[in-house]
Amino acid sequence: MSPTTTPIDDPVVAEAQEYANKLLLLSEGSVNKHFDPYEDIDWDNPDFDANARPERWILPESADPLGRHDWYRSLTVDQQIAVGKYRQANIAKVGLQFESILISGMVNHTFSLPNGDAEFRYCTHEMAEELNHTLMFQEMVNRIGADVPGMGPLVRQLRLFGVPVAIAFPNLFFMAVLAGEEPIDHIQKQILRSGEEVHPIMRGVMSIHVAEEARHISFAHEFLEHHVPEQNAANRFILSIAMPIVMFILGRSIATPPKKFFQEFDIPEEVRKELFYGSEEAKQVFADYFIDVRALAHKIGLMNPISKRVWKLLGIDGPASRYRSEPIRSGKVA
């Protein structure tokens, strides 16, 4: 099936057709290039055993702030491995939990879509891929063997809001989707781009996730680019204020390890604050997760004088990317 190319005079109809064509291309991408976690990851390879060359679980210095912190570097090798295993397993568990919330919201979003709506097909492709991701993440957690909780107990309650928000406020829901997807994607790309050796389980899972997540993030961007301009001025203003707040709350829930992680390894409170809240580096790392989202906010008219203050107040303001997934080095786009 090919996208429609016949010129259309009505600009509204033309824009709707262009949106449908973009979703068709994303859907065809899901058909032509997709993965199965039990076919495309060689779980039975002896090198994929979680305890094979376990030093590969040591957190990479260039891509993980904990991995380059003096407290972590002062640990014994065995301790570094144990912390690294737990951290990577918990990140996978958080990813699984977030994907589950996304799926529950998205399936309810598609429930009432009209016949012929291009969003139905693409969203269904995405949900199938996300279900595979939950299998992949849980398999990784099981093989590592760490009993990780994923999200903290309070943050887990966010799952109760996924469905009602998706039904009543779809623009807000897909902002929330980006708030979860962008940090995870950013962290995994940094690790893959670092060139440092990581365990093949981790590399295999991340490679599949990054490849398919590119489509998922693209869809959320396209959805908001198409639907936000349809809103009246008052709703657009509300969305402009809500956007940085959603990014901050969900981004923190995704990027910050749960309290149990710090208790498990007796990580000092001052180290926790420095790594994830207090230091200038920690603040910059967190703000950089949303460089593409800030570009989107500019593009769809949600970056106004008041919303800019909210972005700044929350510490997640900064430059916008010139193109999606532009690499960041030293707090600046490359």
Side-chain angles (χ1 to χ4, degrees):
M1 185 182 294
S2 299
T4 301
T5 57
T6 305
I8 300 173
D9 294 331
D10 187 327
V12 175
V13 175
E15 197 279 333
Q17 186 60 64
E18 181 183 3
Y19 177 60
N21 288 343
K22 289 177 178 177
L23 299 197
L24 177 58
L25 288 173
L26 288 173
S27 293
E28 291 180 340
S30 292
V31 171
N32 296 326
K33 188 64 175 178
H34 59 273
F35 300 90
D36 185 305
Y38 291 103
E39 290 183 352
D40 297 303
I41 296 180
D42 191 5
W43 299 106
D44 294 327
N45 187 319
D47 197 39
F48 274 62
D49 186 295
N51 295 314
R53 292 180 55 202
E55 68 277 5
R56 293 178 293 182
W57 289 111
I58 294 175
L59 297 173
E61 292 186 41
S62 63
D64 192 306
L66 177 56
R68 57 181 171 268
H69 194 277
D70 289 342
W71 176 86
Y72 181 72
R73 307 313 301 179
S74 70
L75 299 176
T76 66
V77 170
D78 286 344
Q79 289 171 327
Q80 288 183 23
I81 291 169
V83 172
K85 278 185 170 184
Y86 191 104
R87 177 151 167 76
Q88 298 301 348
N90 199 74
I91 289 173
K93 189 71 175 185
V94 168
L96 181 162
Q97 292 165 337
F98 176 76
E99 306 285 32
S100 298
I101 297 171
L102 184 157
I103 293 164
S104 65
M106 193 173 281
V107 74
N108 280 275
H109 170 71
T110 61
F111 187 85
S112 298
L113 289 176
N115 296 326
D117 194 313
E119 284 181 11
F120 178 87
R121 178 182 170 186
Y122 175 73
C123 286
T124 305
H125 281 305
E126 179 169 332
M127 286 186 285
E129 292 169 353
E130 299 290 26
L131 281 169
N132 269 335
H133 293 175
T134 64
L135 285 169
M136 180 172 70
F137 286 142
Q138 188 62 59
E139 188 68 28
M140 175 176 168
V141 172
N142 293 347
R143 288 180 181 256
I144 291 174
D147 186 21
V148 294
M151 297 178 177
L154 291 177
V155 178
R156 288 187 196 189
Q157 303 312 308
L158 292 172
R159 73 186 189 280
L160 303 176
F161 298 95
V163 171
V165 170
I167 294 171
F169 309 103
N171 286 312
L172 191 62
F173 174 74
F174 281 102
M175 284 182 181
V177 167
L178 284 178
E181 288 181 335
E182 292 279 10
I184 294 173
D185 186 65
H186 187 99
I187 292 167
Q188 291 181 338
K189 282 179 178 174
Q190 274 193 314
I191 293 172
L192 291 173
R193 287 168 174 167
S194 72
E196 295 189 51
E197 186 176 25
V198 297
H199 198 280
I201 289 179
M202 192 171 143
R203 183 168 295 278
V205 166
M206 287 193 303
S207 296
I208 288 176
H209 191 250
V210 165
E212 294 190 325
E213 206 68 9
R215 285 194 294 267
H216 305 172
I217 291 173
S218 291
F219 171 68
H221 278 255
E222 295 293 348
F223 182 95
L224 293 170
E225 285 182 34
H226 178 70
H227 289 291
V228 168
E230 297 173 340
Q231 302 296 303
N232 60 39
N235 284 343
R236 290 199 303 274
F237 177 75
I238 292 171
L239 287 170
S240 76
I241 303 302
M243 192 175 204
I245 295 172
V246 169
M247 296 303 144
F248 180 83
I249 293 174
L250 288 182
R252 279 294 182 202
S253 71
I254 294 293
T256 307
K259 187 176 181 180
K260 184 180 177 182
F261 172 68
F262 299 97
Q263 294 173 335
E264 183 87 9
F265 298 101
D266 295 320
I267 301 176
E269 178 66 14
E270 61 270 21
V271 173
R272 182 185 74 86
K273 289 182 178 179
E274 182 182 348
L275 282 171
F276 298 101
Y277 298 103
S279 72
E280 288 304 313
E281 180 190 9
K283 294 175 183 177
Q284 185 64 60
V285 166
F286 186 65
D288 284 345
Y289 292 156
F290 305 109
I291 189 168
D292 287 345
V293 179
R294 293 193 294 267
L296 174 65
H298 281 287
K299 187 173 184 179
I300 60 180
L302 297 186
M303 194 67 81
N304 54 59
I306 296 178
S307 66
K308 284 181 181 178
R309 291 186 179 184
V310 179
W311 283 92
K312 186 171 184 178
L313 179 66
L314 296 174
I316 53 175
D317 59 328
S321 59
R322 295 169 296 179
Y323 55 89
R324 203 174 301 160
S325 296
E326 182 179 7
I328 299 171
R329 298 183 181 90
S330 302
K332 300 179 181 179
V333 292

